[in-house]
């Protein structure tokens, strides 16, 4: 792993959330938000309802801008986001999770927690100068963010859907040539 587990988990979660607002919006119901919580966060949480959905949807562009920034811009954005949200980092141990950082208290607004936890994860990325782990999807029609934490840095597409679409296109192009 390039980063500690909780950093990597939050970065993956933030990328999925940011990408849900790219192209066709895929975060349109409380159920899809709950699915994202269950699939990507390390804490048990269920959305309280449509208001929470709206507030989380509304921070996606902040996440997208942060995750697609160059290093200096990312550093400034992290500082601004942490200051604006009144982050108070605390070491926490809960469930199966050993001591790790939470940026705001557990009863903070969920959208704020997502932004702060993403900003905290980006601290590691900026400090380790690993911004090139982030890229934009190689699909010509997609601007989704690609996060590549693999050793050989082989990820080019933001999703299996984009990967498959391009694999099919490449296959057809080969067939047409032969
Ligand atoms: Zn935690
Ligand atoms: Zn894509």
């Amino acid at each position: 792993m390039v980063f500690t587990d909780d950093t990597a988990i939050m970065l993956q979660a933030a990328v999925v959330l940011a990408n849900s607002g790219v192209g066709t919006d895929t975060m349109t119901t409380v159920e899809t938000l709950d699915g994202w919580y269950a699939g990507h966060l390390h804490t048990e949480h269920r959305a309280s309802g449509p208001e929470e959905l709206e507030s989380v949807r509304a921070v996606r562009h902040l996440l997208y801008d942060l995750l697609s920034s160059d290093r200096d811009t990312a550093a400034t954005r992290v500082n601004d986001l942490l200051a604006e949200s009144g982050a108070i980092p605390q070491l926490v141990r809960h469930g199966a999770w050993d001591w790790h950082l939470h940026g705001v208290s557990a009863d903070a607004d969920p959208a704020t927690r997502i932004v702060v936890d993403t900003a905290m994860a980006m601290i590691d990325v900026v400090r380790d100068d690993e911004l090139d782990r982030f890229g934009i999807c190689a699909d010509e029609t997609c601007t989704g963010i690609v996060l590549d934490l693999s050793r050989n840095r082989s990820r080019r597409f933001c999703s299996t859907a984009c990967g498959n679409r391009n694999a099919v296109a490449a296959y057809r192009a080969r067939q047409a040539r032969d």
Side-chain angles (χ1 to χ4, degrees):
M1 262 305 182
V2 195
F3 305 112
T4 56
D5 282 354
D6 51 328
T7 294
I9 286 169
M10 194 59 226
L11 293 176
Q12 303 268 21
V15 165
V16 170
L17 185 58
N19 284 349
S20 77
V22 172
T24 309
D25 197 325
T26 54
M27 183 70 73
T28 54
T29 63
V30 172
E31 287 70 32
T32 51
L33 178 57
D34 278 339
W36 177 78
Y37 282 136
H40 294 285
L41 289 196
H42 73 284
T43 40
E44 297 248 336
H45 180 75
R46 287 181 70 81
S48 54
E51 276 174 31
E52 182 170 332
L53 174 66
E54 277 319 303
S55 67
V56 171
R57 284 164 51 89
V59 299
R60 292 183 299 183
H61 70 280
L62 288 178
L63 302 182
Y64 187 94
D65 289 349
L66 176 60
L67 300 171
S68 57
S69 295
D70 62 42
R71 190 169 183 231
D72 291 357
T73 310
T76 306
R77 286 192 165 136
V78 165
N79 287 341
D80 289 348
L81 290 171
L82 291 177
E84 284 162 12
S85 53
I88 307 170
Q90 296 280 297
L91 277 164
V92 184
R93 186 163 58 182
H94 59 87
W97 293 83
D98 197 10
W99 291 112
H100 60 283
L101 274 175
H102 279 194
V104 283
S105 68
D107 55 8
D109 163 56
T112 302
R113 283 185 71 188
I114 292 167
V115 170
V116 169
D117 286 347
T118 304
M120 299 230 310
M122 286 300 284
I123 291 175
D124 287 356
V125 180
V126 172
R127 205 164 38 189
D128 295 349
D129 197 5
E130 292 278 359
L131 271 292
D132 63 353
R133 294 282 170 184
F134 293 95
I136 299 295
C137 186
D139 183 292
E140 282 178 3
T141 63
C142 179
T143 53
I145 293 170
V146 181
L147 171 60
D148 192 348
L149 298 178
S150 68
R151 196 181 292 270
N152 61 359
R153 307 203 185 204
S154 53
R155 278 205 68 172
R156 296 173 56 226
F157 299 102
C158 72
S159 63
T160 45
C162 281
N164 289 342
R165 191 163 58 244
N166 282 271
V168 169
Y171 175 78
R172 290 219 178 100
R174 266 197 310 275
Q175 293 273 304
R177 229 175 18 237
D178 293 343

